[in-house]
Structure formats: C-alpha cells, structure tokens
Amino acid sequence: MNIESQTESSSLLWLDQTWSKIQRKVENMCESIGADFPYASYHGKYNREEADWWTNGFWPGLLWLVYRETKNDRLREIAVLTESKMDLVLHGFYPLHHDVGFMWSPSSVAQYKLIGSDDSRRRALTAASHLAGRFNPMGQFIRAWNQPERVGWAIIDCMMNLPLLYWASEETNDPRFRHIAKLHADTTLREFLRADGSAHHIVCFDPETGERQEALGGQGYSPDSAWSRGTAWTIYGMALSARYTGDIRYIDAAKRSVQFFLANLPEDGLPPWDFRAPWEEGMAMDSTASACAASGMLELSLLVPPSEAPLYRNAAEKLLQKLDEKCSAWNDPHEEAILRFGTANSPRKTHVNVPIIYGDYFFAEAIVKLRGMKDTFW
C-alpha cells in the first residue's frame, strides 16, 4: 500500500470511529436531556433554556442527523416532541426574532425533509413569513433583535437564517422569500464583509432612510476586530446563499473568509473567540467556530470546480480532526456534550470555554457531510 492509500485508509477509519462515537453520545444524550432545550454545559450537564431561545433548533437537529443514519425511533420521538414544544413561541409572535432560521431549519425543515410532516412544513413556513416580515426595504436588511433602540440593527449571524427563506420560496413557488434573502445577502457583502475576509458582527442603519450609520463590536473584541464565529457564519452563510442562487459573488466571499479563517488559526486548530483580540493566558476560545467553519467549507467544496474541491474538503477534515483531538469529551463519562471549549459571548463573560449545543451540532453535521450527506437541513 502506498503512502496516499495509507493516508486515505487512516482517514476513513478515523471518520467511521468518530461517527460511531457521535452516535453513541447522542443516544446517551437523548436519555439524559429528553425533549428539552439544552444550550451550555456546566459540570458535565447541559442547562435548559426557555422555548424562545435562539439555539433551540440545534438539539432536535442533532437528533435528526443521527436518526437519518440509524433510524433510531427513540431519537425521532424526542426530536418531534422538542419541536412541538416551540409552538408556544411560534404562535405567540412577540418573542420571535431574526434567529427563527436557527430554530426551525434544523428542527422543522429537517423533520419535513426526512419524514414529510405537514405540521413541520407549516411551522417552517410560518417562521419564514415572520423572518420575511423583519425585512427593511429602505436599508435592504433583515432586522436583528427586538429592542426599540435596535430597530436598525443587522448582524452577520443572519446569513445562516436566510436558507429558511430560500427553502420557503422553493416549497411555495413564491419568489418573494428568495428576493428578500438575496437582498440581505447583498447588503452583507457590501456592508459587513471586509476585503481580507473578516466581517463585522453588527452594522447599524437608519431604519427610516436605510443609510449605514456605524459598525459595532457586538460579540467581537471591537468594531474593527474579527469575531471568529462571525467568520464561520460568513463562510457557511455565503456558501448556502451561493447554493440556492448560483451567485458567484457569494462563492468568492466564502472563499475569502475561508482564507482569513485558516490564515489566523492557531496551530492546534482551536480558534480564539476573536482573531484580533490580544492574546492572553486562559483567554476564551471557541471550538464552535471551527465546527461551523468546517461544515461551511464542506458546503463550499460542492460549489467550486472539481480541481478546487479537495482544498476545502481537506481543510475541513483537518479542522475536525483537530477538534476531535483537542476538544472532544469522548473519554469523560460524566460529560453530556461532544465538544469542549466553546464560547458564547466573551465580552459579557457568558458561557466561556464550555460545551455549547451548536458546537455539537455543527461538528456532527460536518462529520456526516464527510461521510457523504449532501442534502442538508439548511
């Protein structure tokens, strides 16, 4: 066997072993978490959030990822029940925000794609209608949060909510959802993304005129810094917009962000919470950024010419192997989560260097993509 064959064989073995660990871990998590809303893990156990929390789609999404491969009915049962518990929020309107894509794409769209649930289709379309209703036509952006003083704010995270709109257009044969998504993506290209591939977290617009006012640091170190998870949202979100629209500008944007992410990544593969934050001992790191970026790179590898695809696929695989080596909790029987060292919000010192549910989700999603999944939930 030559060196190339040995390397490929070793990679396949690692992939199979990692998938088996994910499967066992999620099956155990299913019994300990049940139909609830986990977010961050402390002392080995995930906390619980209210039904309107923005990350609540990732737990059912993680269950659907494993169910898709194993057809374990217990995982399906918990995913269905968890999704149904969000109906209180969906019907209540007031708590809803821009992150309805994060909530209902990996839950409702996933369930509809996998088992054809009419209830899930209705939920996802309702959420898409809400997201479309947040569009400001003067500034051509989707409003982020609900606070009165933030009426003109948009954030980089919303690139990951756009697939809900693209899906809704395809599902209803109504182009309005797609038009809104593309206009927001174009605004992100123009106002958020820098030439080096980094991105602002928050950009504020005058809600009456649409004029850009300023950028804010948000969850990054400063307005001009480079929040690592924001870079990951850019990579994945631009790749998804490219997949739905075929717009080469989004592919080019995703490529630039990949180059920035990889160029600023430490050798151990674990990114700091912000690539431009001053380095200090014990600083906040963010494994979730690498997990999301890896899944985005795998998405991008399907959109570029065959000669370029291995570049992004191999980079993603190396990121995942580093996460497995440095951050996984396979050997800790007292830890529910899959990945350690995620950081939700370092400036506010919220959930710093702990497991976070979307880190688990994106890691598992990327592994499943490496194993051949192309029809994602986004």
Side-chain angles (χ1 to χ4, degrees), residues 64 67 76 80 109-118 120:
W64 286 123
Y67 171 81
R76 168 178 167 167
V80 169
V109 174
Q111 184 179 168
Y112 177 61
K113 285 184 174 182
L114 291 176
I115 62 176
S117 167
D118 288 337
S120 292

Side-chain angles (χ1 to χ4, degrees), residues 81-113:
L81 185 55
T82 304
E83 179 188 326
S84 70
K85 291 175 71 173
M86 292 194 290
D87 281 352
L88 177 66
V89 182
L90 192 61
H91 298 153
F93 178 78
Y94 289 106
L96 292 179
H97 39 70
H98 63 290
D99 278 335
V100 293
F102 278 125
M103 297 176 72
W104 280 281
S105 286
S107 58
S108 294
V109 174
Q111 184 179 168
Y112 177 61
K113 285 184 174 182

Side-chain angles (χ1 to χ4, degrees), residues 220-222 225-227 272-280 283-284 346:
Y221 177 71
S222 74
S225 64
W227 178 43
W273 66 282
D274 191 301
F275 288 123
R276 294 194 176 115
W279 189 269
E280 58 186 14
M283 73 183 296
S346 183

Side-chain angles (χ1 to χ4, degrees), residues 2-17:
N2 59 36
I3 293 177
E4 185 176 340
S5 297
Q6 288 178 334
T7 301
E8 183 178 355
S9 178
S10 175
S11 176
L12 290 174
L13 178 61
W14 167 80
L15 189 58
D16 287 343
Q17 291 175 339

Side-chain angles (χ1 to χ4, degrees), residues 238-252:
M238 286 294 173
L240 288 168
S241 278
R243 189 184 83 198
Y244 278 103
T245 67
D247 194 323
I248 190 66
R249 296 175 305 149
Y250 303 149
I251 294 179
D252 290 341

Side-chain angles (χ1 to χ4, degrees), residues 261-262 264-272 275 285-291 293 315 318-327:
F261 192 97
L262 295 177
N264 288 275
L265 194 67
E267 288 187 11
D268 65 3
L270 181 59
F275 288 123
M285 309 303 284
D286 195 4
S287 59
T288 75
S290 269
K318 288 179 181 177
L319 282 181
L320 296 169
Q321 289 176 339
K322 288 290 188 180
L323 288 174
D324 182 24
E325 177 186 348
K326 300 290 184 179
C327 303

